Amino acid sequence: MGDSISSLPDEILGKLLSLVPTKVAASTSVLSKRWRNLLSLVDSLSFDESMVVYPNEEEATIGSQRFCDFVDKTLALLHNSPAIKTFSLYRVAKTMSYNDESARLNRWIWTAMEQGLLELHLYAPASRSTVNIEPRVLRSNTLVKLTISGHYDIDVDSDGEDSDDEDIDESLDVFFPALKSLSLMVALDIESYPRIIHACPVLEELTIRNGDFSDMGPLWGGTVVEHASIKRLVIATHVPDHIDYYLLLEYFENACQTVRFQAPSLVYLDYSSFVFRKYAVGDLDSLVEARLSLKLWRSTSHYDYDDDYYYDYNASLCDDDDPSPPIFGDVTCLVAAIRNITTLHLSPDSLEVFHFCCKSMPIFNNLLNLSIESNNQNGWQVMPLLLKSCPNLQTLVFKGLVHKVTNRCGDACACNPQNPSLKNSKKMKKKKKICCLQTCPVKVLEISDYGGCFQEVEQMRHFLGNLKCLETVKVGVDPDNKGKNAEFLRANLTNLPKLSSKCTIQLL
């Protein structure tokens, strides 16, 4: 087998070595004379210090120096190689002062970029390895894909930012005229994000993730995204768990801004964030698929049986002990902007955000696929209105059927809320309407994580007894209930009465 591989052409061997970590590729040079000079044909360099395990701090310092020496030697060997197209650097430890460390890493990056690099991926997860990226690294006429993640400092020149001229000033510190894909997870001020995005005139994919590193403080990239050519946009803004109240206040103060999206070419949107005060979103007529994971700042359990809630847009974060905290945030404009999509995915929290923070529900005339994730912490209050707003829905997907029981789930579910308010109970009994499911045109119903508990069985009975257009039901059983319970669940489901005579049930 070894001789067969060695007999392959140099170009093929170079491609094979490009698929493995650079340290492994470099080690093949000792196999034989045939392999000695093949490293120069590698077009992808990947230096990953996270794969090295150091037993103690002293060894980490010594080992990290050896890692740096290896990178230096490899880049020196390949300095004049025109083959390098992808460069990945995962830096963990720190062996020098801040300035020296930054100078060394910038030299590595620049050495790779000098030969017409196409892809650059930088990772620095440890706070002790913060690197100041030099301006020369932020300019490339060839780069098409860029990832910067972790503790990198980027100083973006603000000159010209307020200009109304659509042409980009090539004298600015940042300029990527060929960049198609940009992924940022770094500690930047809010103003820097739009400046970087503006410096990428043909950008098609943008990913901004905030909050994955708890020691980086509040990050709010993605509050302003205005770009004509972006087709795929992923924004994830997380608030770290178990943070103190004052840091939470700092996050909340940022949320009092207005989020602005202007992306007429957008096809795919994945947006995960706590709700902001307001959204200003241009028409997203090209949008096909949206994945929303929106979250309220405070629990709404106080309003499970009480509709007398109120809003507060004045940047006050109520105390946890407040018996009736106000609702904060308005996503009406955001929801209206995605009305032409064909596929929508909603998290459990998004359902409650749609109910409490969306003043009017648009009609989703083009929506064919609706996917909903459910848990016992969030209610289905918005489900009746949402289903009625999807007149052409074909496929309805649920990841879990168990949800929190409230007095506003309506006829979309089989809940029997124990409403403490007799007055509200009487009102609900008087309002006898046609079930929203009976007017729902869904043909395919998919359920995953099905456990067969009483609430789930009753919900399936409700679906099967009211969805008159249903043709196929696919049920994925929770792994904990597979095996000996599978036949019982199958028999239980197949014996439920079905309104549609065409309906078939598949247990996956």
Side-chain angles (χ1 to χ4, degrees), residues 36 91 103-104 125-126 131 136 142 152 229 265 285 295 303 367 373 375 393 425 442 457 461 474 505:
R36 185 169 299 170
R91 185 80 170 103
R104 167 177 269 177
V131 176
R136 63 174 178 169
T142 61
Y152 283 95
S229 63
S265 301
D285 293 338
K295 194 170 183 179
Y303 305 118
L367 192 66
E373 189 174 350
N375 62 30
L393 191 63
S425 297
V442 165
V457 172
R461 185 192 304 276
K474 300 178 182 180
I505 300 177

Side-chain angles (χ1 to χ4, degrees), residues 272-320:
S272 175
S273 174
F274 276 79
V275 292
F276 277 66
R277 183 180 65 86
K278 191 177 180 181
Y279 291 80
V281 186
D283 285 337
L284 303 177
D285 293 338
S286 299
L287 193 65
V288 174
E289 182 176 357
R291 185 179 297 271
L292 300 180
S293 181
L294 302 169
K295 194 170 183 179
L296 294 166
W297 284 91
R298 282 286 181 255
S299 169
T300 59
S301 59
H302 307 78
Y303 305 118
D304 288 350
Y305 305 109
D306 182 5
D307 296 329
D308 191 22
Y309 51 83
Y310 63 101
Y311 295 90
D312 180 10
Y313 302 128
N314 296 317
S316 60
L317 187 62
C318 63
D319 190 271
D320 284 326

Side-chain angles (χ1 to χ4, degrees), residues 8 21 88 107 142 145 199 218 235 240 249 290 363 384 441 479-480:
L8 292 173
S88 300
R107 186 177 72 251
T142 61
K145 190 170 187 177
I235 297 176
L249 278 177
I363 300 299
D480 294 336

